[in-house]
Amino acid sequence: MITRPSKIAVRAWALLVKQGQQILQSVERDLKAAGLPPLSWYDALLELRREETGQLRPFELEQRMLLAQYHMSRLIGRLAKAGYVERLSYAQDRRGQIIGITDAGRFLLTRMWPVYADAIRRHLSEKISDDEAAVLARILGKL
């Protein structure tokens, strides 16, 4: 027998999805208004920068970003065309490749962060306390 979620769990789920979508749409609008690329570009470049080598295999980047392979291929293509990443040969597998962040990609991150940080401030920090944010992070970490 399937146990149904409680009414409060359903309400929490609906609010999580709705608010998450609205906040992300606001961040995207803020980035666009500042003449910057989409948030997915920031996320991809950030994951690459977090690596000591500044490089990841496409599937590793895909796993960290939770994007479908088709979307990841398109994203990498756009980032490469703009000069923010480069595609490198993977020595252990000639068919494979490594994606590396470029200096231009690192610079783009520094340009995007202030807009993104301001959005976080407006949509989260101004609405809940740091203690509430810690509780929220702890709860979301369980999901």
Side-chain angles (χ1 to χ4, degrees):
M1 181 172 171
I2 298 174
T3 305
R4 296 183 186 267
S6 67
K7 286 182 180 182
I8 193 67
V10 171
R11 184 172 189 283
W13 175 259
L15 285 170
L16 177 66
V17 172
K18 180 182 175 188
Q19 296 299 350
Q21 288 174 346
Q22 288 178 350
I23 290 169
L24 287 175
Q25 288 171 358
S26 289
V27 171
E28 292 288 4
R29 279 192 303 273
D30 292 346
L31 290 169
K32 188 173 185 175
L36 295 167
L39 188 56
S40 60
W41 289 37
Y42 181 88
D43 289 342
L45 293 171
L46 182 63
E47 290 300 334
L48 290 167
R49 191 186 72 192
R50 284 180 173 158
E51 286 299 306
E52 186 176 325
T53 62
Q55 301 173 345
L56 287 169
R57 301 279 311 269
F59 77 90
E60 294 169 322
L61 188 56
E62 178 183 332
Q63 289 172 343
R64 293 179 188 199
M65 293 187 58
L66 303 175
L67 285 177
Q69 193 274 334
Y70 170 75
H71 297 295
M72 183 56 63
S73 295
R74 289 180 60 183
L75 175 61
I76 290 170
R78 289 180 180 132
L79 288 166
K81 185 176 180 181
Y84 299 127
V85 301
E86 58 186 351
R87 292 181 168 136
L88 306 164
S89 309
Y90 184 57
Q92 287 86 353
D93 178 0
R94 284 189 257 169
R95 296 171 296 157
Q97 62 178 327
I98 294 178
I99 308 304
I101 189 170
T102 65
D103 288 342
R106 291 177 193 279
F107 181 69
L108 180 61
L109 279 172
T110 64
R111 288 184 46 229
M112 292 180 79
W113 173 244
V115 177
Y116 193 12
D118 187 57
I120 293 169
R121 179 190 53 76
R122 285 185 290 110
H123 296 292
L124 188 73
S125 299
E126 288 182 355
K127 297 180 179 180
I128 65 175
S129 69
D130 283 349
D131 288 341
E132 290 169 319
V135 170
L136 179 60
R138 199 168 38 255
I139 291 168
L140 292 174
K142 291 181 176 184
L143 303 181

